[in-house]
Amino acid sequence: MVLYTTPYPSACLHFLDGLSWSLVFPCYWLLDRLLASCVATSLEKRRRSQDPCSFLSLCVLVSVPLYLLFFLLSLPFGLLGFLLWAPLQAVRQPYLYTYSRPDKHQAEQGAAGPGGAGSAEWRPQGRSFCFCSANVCLLPDALARFNNLTDTQSRAREVGRRIRNGASRPQIKIYIDSPTNTSISAASFSSLAAGFRRTSSLDQRPEPSHVTNGPTDTEAEPPTHECPAHPSGAADCPLHQGPSDCPLHSEGADGSTPCPLHSAGGDGGGGGGSDCPMHSAGGTSRCAVHSPGGAQGSPGHHDCPMHGDAKPTSDCPLHNPGVQISISAPEPDPQDEEGDAESGNPRGQDGAGDTGSMGESYTRYHAAGDAGGTYSNNTLSHVPRTSIFKRPGGRKRRHGDDGFDHDVSAFFPANLDFLALQEVFDHGSTTRLRQQLHRYFPYVLSDVGRYGWKGCGSSFKFLNSGLMLASRYPILDARFQCYPNGRGEDALASKGALFAKVQVGTSHQDQRVVGYLTSTHLHAIEGDASVRCEQLDLLLQWGAEFRQSSFRSGEGEKVLEDLVAFDVILGDLNFDNCSSEDKLEQQHALFTQYKDPCRLGPGEDKPWALGTLLDQSGLYDEEANSPESLQKVMENEEARKEYLVFPPSKAQSHGGGGGQKGRKIPLKGNGRRIDYILYSDEGLQPDWKLDIEEFSFVTQLAGITDHLSVAARLAVSTGEEEP
């Protein structure tokens, strides 16, 4: 179980690699710029058509001959460097493992130190984990332009920022223990959640109540008149028999009586603070949650509007011992603040952290990029995520027979635990993206794959696998395997599978609780179903071998057996479950060993499942170039047909190709879903169970990649009762 922390086993080889790359890089860069000048994105074409004599067109005419001239001059040095670089790849490590000390917020969340969160004690009742997979299309700039994308290295930095900012948003949790209060659902808390997140999630993770008030620029929407303790019209509410009688926020109130939960700017209980969803600044003395006698205050509860100075009764919805409210907010990243200041874009002035300015900020991203200016840092870290958590017994399934939440989200999930990325091919982009991710994820596996001829088929590999894996939990072991059967242009990259073993806790008996992660990117060329099926066979075989070789069996006297919590596969499989051309892959044994939350069976997805491959011609449209606008498009059944790629057979039957934008044709289905999160409950401990709690299609990378991201939260239950 050795993790490679350097690309080469010796400093001498590392020096030779740097020397060879310094000779190759000028030639490589000039060739990339030369080809990029000849391939324009749809945004560049649109601007040239509007102004044929623009400065951009003039630059292209001047730069192409210069790039060609300097490329020819640097070619001899590039060939010399290549001859030195190629033999070194035979001893290069298959991945680079890096660890970054977590910041203050991560330390508070239990990720401090080399042991990180994995050394934390495993709760007997279990825990939930959040996984995400995203294809970010960070190819060399010339190749990325064939996907209608440009400026790869700047996009890499922006991808990292958006992922980090989305995952580190404040998360508000409300735990409800009362078995009798079964009428409470996520919809009942719309007055609390409206200003923070479009949907709520269900969780079974009971945690100690902890409040960390962090700065936030997000203002809550105007309060509603719905009681936070029950749905409208409930007859058994201990507060009132109808909304008009509510002592907290009566619909007919004239504002003279301040509401201690969410007054609309009144004094006392209302007005001003941005850190508490219950009250504004200066209103803590009247807040039923943060007052000295509030729901989490001292036993006196003298400020409670329900029972005054009297001892709280068991039916009080504010001070019920089964209700806990936890608000966690990360500290703002000082480096981001400095970046905003340097670009003349302080958060306090333009509201970059406000969801209301999101579309404008993402529009500025593309405008600044084409103008050669500084990219706008659209930080979304201060948009909290509000979740309503209900313990087992009162859990309400909000989506029919699925038993879990599913939605289209403009943000990456808060408290994201594991992230798998594909198509991180460009070397400079890898470095920039890794630096951004390390501000949230302490453990990262990057630069994954083989170069040259070693161990990856007969073709020379000019690109690595493009895989990257980031984790908030310690990585114990990792292995990369390259698919040997790549064809065509795919054979130029060492596509394969990255396997990792992570420690997510320690039991009371000092047994390690571990999880297995697999990140992969399959063959992309259409019509090569047999190639992908062979790769799926290898994926299952290699996965079983990795788990067997890395599993600690406990045969020694002082060695305890590992407890397996989960086994998850993430990645771009390059086939969907509805296309008639992908029937062979749809029936593969992979789906008998692993569960797909979006799948009903071979050839049939659940009605809410969306395609993840975007129509490249619409990436820069105003309706789809920001997270919120793309979210709205994806939520509309008719609108999304213009921005998703549909199965080839269906598109061709209507006389079209992969792109459907601007065509009013009766397409069926919800697009090609080629990005997957699969999980298996085989091999877990006896009585342990792995269930999905929520699944999201994420639009936060709108405008900078041609894929939707997918995220899932899985709950590991041990069958033990909470002490």
Side-chain angles (χ1 to χ4, degrees):
M1 295 185 183
V2 177
L3 295 172
Y4 303 114
T5 57
T6 58
Y8 292 95
S10 70
C12 179
L13 295 175
H14 194 279
F15 170 77
L16 292 177
D17 178 78
L19 177 62
S20 63
W21 183 244
S22 65
L23 295 173
V24 170
F25 180 76
C27 182
Y28 162 79
W29 185 83
L30 289 166
L31 178 62
D32 183 63
R33 299 316 308 159
L34 177 63
L35 296 177
S37 301
C38 301
V39 182
T41 64
S42 61
L43 182 63
E44 293 170 344
K45 291 178 180 178
R46 185 188 311 165
R47 292 178 175 175
R48 291 177 188 175
S49 63
Q50 295 173 352
D51 185 8
C53 299
S54 64
F55 178 73
L56 181 62
S57 301
L58 181 62
C59 288
V60 172
L61 293 176
V62 174
S63 62
V64 169
L66 292 177
Y67 286 142
L68 180 59
L69 174 63
F70 286 111
F71 168 72
L72 294 176
L73 293 176
S74 65
L75 190 58
F77 298 97
L79 292 175
L80 178 62
F82 178 79
L83 293 176
L84 178 61
W85 173 83
L88 293 174
Q89 306 315 302
V91 293
R92 186 185 181 93
Q93 309 294 3
Y95 60 81
L96 178 65
Y97 166 77
T98 54
Y99 166 76
S100 177
R101 186 176 299 276
D103 59 20
K104 178 182 177 181
H105 172 61
Q106 290 174 314
E108 291 175 355
Q109 297 295 322
S119 60
E121 185 175 339
W122 178 260
R123 290 192 294 269
Q125 66 274 17
R127 187 181 297 175
S128 67
F129 303 93
C130 190
F131 306 82
C132 182
S133 177
N135 185 316
V136 293
C137 197
L138 295 178
L139 291 155
D141 194 48
L143 300 180
R145 285 174 171 266
F146 288 98
N147 290 348
N148 201 24
L149 294 165
T150 184
D151 207 350
T152 296
Q153 297 198 16
S154 296
R155 281 193 301 114
R157 185 182 296 108
E158 185 71 9
V159 165
R161 285 176 177 171
R162 296 189 191 182
I163 293 174
R164 173 173 52 85
N165 292 336
S168 60
R169 289 175 293 125
Q171 185 175 27
I172 302 171
K173 309 174 185 178
I174 301 177
Y175 297 101
I176 303 170
D177 276 332
S178 174
T180 61
N181 196 7
T182 57
S183 64
I184 297 180
S185 65
S188 306
F189 287 81
S190 59
S191 58
L192 173 62
F196 300 102
R197 193 172 186 261
R198 295 176 60 89
T199 59
S200 301
S201 65
L202 300 175
D203 199 343
Q204 298 186 51
R205 292 185 298 167
E207 297 177 355
S209 176
H210 175 70
V211 176
T212 303
N213 292 326
T216 172
D217 294 331
T218 303
E219 295 181 359
E221 295 180 1
T224 66
H225 299 294
E226 186 175 4
C227 180
H230 65 77
S232 299
D236 57 349
C237 174
L239 298 184
H240 54 80
Q241 297 299 319
S244 62
D245 298 324
C246 178
L248 298 184
H249 45 80
S250 170
E251 289 192 18
D254 58 1
S256 59
T257 303
C259 172
L261 290 184
H262 42 74
S263 175
D267 56 330
S274 60
D275 56 349
C276 178
M278 299 298 186
H279 64 77
S280 305
T284 56
S285 63
R286 297 293 305 241
C287 176
V289 174
H290 295 111
S291 65
Q296 298 190 47
S298 60
H301 303 283
H302 57 272
D303 283 341
C304 181
M306 298 296 97
H307 46 70
D309 295 333
K311 184 177 180 180
T313 58
S314 59
D315 59 352
C316 176
L318 297 183
H319 299 121
N320 191 301
V323 178
Q324 297 180 1
I325 299 177
S326 173
I327 305 173
S328 61
E331 296 293 333
D333 195 322
Q335 299 187 42
D336 274 351
E337 292 182 347
E338 294 174 2
D340 288 339
E342 292 174 359
S343 60
N345 183 29
R347 290 195 190 98
Q349 296 179 11
D350 70 352
D354 197 326
T355 55
S357 63
M358 191 187 313
E360 179 185 357
S361 181
Y362 279 88
T363 302
R364 290 199 305 269
Y365 174 88
H366 294 296
D370 290 313
T374 303
Y375 285 93
S376 170
N377 179 19
N378 180 33
T379 56
L380 303 175
S381 59
H382 302 310
V383 182
R385 175 187 180 213
T386 303
S387 301
I388 310 303
F389 300 91
K390 204 165 186 181
R391 300 288 171 80
R395 179 169 178 173
K396 187 173 181 178
R397 297 185 175 184
R398 299 175 54 205
H399 299 283
D401 297 331
D402 287 330
F404 59 89
D405 283 352
H406 46 77
D407 67 348
V408 181
S409 174
F411 313 105
F412 283 93
N415 294 337
L416 180 61
D417 295 308
F418 305 102
L419 174 68
L421 300 178
Q422 301 87 47
E423 293 197 10
V424 188
F425 289 114
D426 185 71
H427 182 73
S429 301
T430 301
T431 303
R432 286 167 171 78
L433 179 57
R434 183 173 58 232
Q435 290 173 349
Q436 290 293 326
L437 293 180
H438 263 315
R439 299 181 190 177
Y440 179 81
F441 295 100
Y443 313 93
V444 175
L445 295 173
S446 60
D447 198 12
V448 179
R450 298 284 189 181
Y451 297 91
W453 286 286
K454 181 183 177 182
C456 202
S458 57
S459 301
F460 189 92
K461 305 301 178 183
F462 291 93
L463 300 173
N464 61 18
S465 69
L467 301 176
M468 179 179 285
L469 184 66
S471 170
R472 292 179 66 192
Y473 292 87
I475 298 175
L476 301 177
D477 193 11
R479 179 184 301 174
F480 172 76
Q481 297 280 6
C482 180
Y483 296 129
N485 59 343
R487 297 180 184 175
E489 60 268 25
D490 259 26
L492 299 177
S494 60
K495 285 188 173 181
L498 175 64
F499 304 93
K501 177 181 179 180
V502 295
Q503 182 177 354
V504 296
T506 305
S507 71
H508 294 298
Q509 294 78 26
D510 291 331
Q511 291 176 277
R512 296 188 310 189
V513 182
V514 302
Y516 290 99
L517 299 169
T518 301
S519 176
T520 189
H521 190 188
L522 297 188
H523 187 70
I525 300 176
E526 294 182 4
D528 285 347
S530 59
V531 175
R532 283 186 287 272
C533 285
E534 291 175 7
Q535 293 178 348
L536 291 176
D537 291 337
L538 292 172
L539 182 71
L540 294 176
Q541 175 188 337
W542 292 337
E545 293 173 354
F546 174 74
R547 290 189 295 273
Q548 183 177 3
S549 63
S550 64
F551 184 74
R552 191 164 66 175
S553 61
E555 296 177 354
E557 295 182 359
K558 297 184 179 180
V559 178
L560 298 176
E561 181 178 344
D562 286 338
L563 304 177
V564 180
F566 56 79
D567 180 8
V568 178
I569 295 178
L570 311 98
D572 181 352
L573 302 188
N574 272 314
F575 66 86
D576 65 82
N577 192 44
C578 296
S579 174
S580 59
E581 295 188 355
D582 295 334
K583 287 184 177 180
L584 196 60
E585 298 98 315
Q586 295 164 10
Q587 299 173 357
H588 194 272
L590 172 75
F591 297 103
T592 62
Q593 299 184 30
Y594 289 84
K595 299 179 181 180
D596 182 357
C598 303
R599 170 183 164 117
L600 287 174
E604 185 178 9
D605 274 348
K606 295 180 180 179
W608 51 264
L610 297 180
T612 58
L613 187 59
L614 298 175
D615 182 6
Q616 296 168 358
S617 64
L619 294 180
Y620 302 108
D621 287 6
E622 185 178 355
E623 296 84 358
N625 68 351
S626 71
E628 279 200 333
S629 61
L630 184 58
Q631 179 195 31
K632 293 177 181 178
V633 167
M634 292 297 115
E635 290 175 339
N636 186 293
E637 185 175 356
E638 292 301 320
R640 63 178 174 240
K641 290 182 179 180
E642 296 191 359
Y643 292 96
L644 289 175
V645 174
F646 281 76
S649 58
K650 295 180 181 179
Q652 291 168 2
S653 66
H654 292 90
Q660 304 301 325
K661 185 182 180 304
R663 301 185 181 184
K664 303 299 182 180
I665 54 179
L667 293 174
K668 297 181 180 179
N670 291 321
R672 296 200 65 198
R673 184 176 61 88
I674 64 176
D675 297 273
Y676 291 79
I677 297 180
L678 310 175
Y679 66 97
S680 174
D681 52 12
E682 298 179 5
L684 304 184
Q685 300 307 117
D687 299 328
W688 285 28
K689 188 177 180 181
L690 187 62
D691 290 314
I692 184 166
E693 291 187 335
E694 61 182 49
F695 192 95
S696 299
F697 295 91
V698 182
T699 64
Q700 195 168 355
L701 299 183
I704 54 176
T705 185
D706 57 352
H707 285 245
L708 293 181
S709 307
V710 291
R713 190 176 297 275
L714 300 177
V716 182
S717 57
T718 62
E720 300 182 35
E721 296 294 333
E722 181 181 358

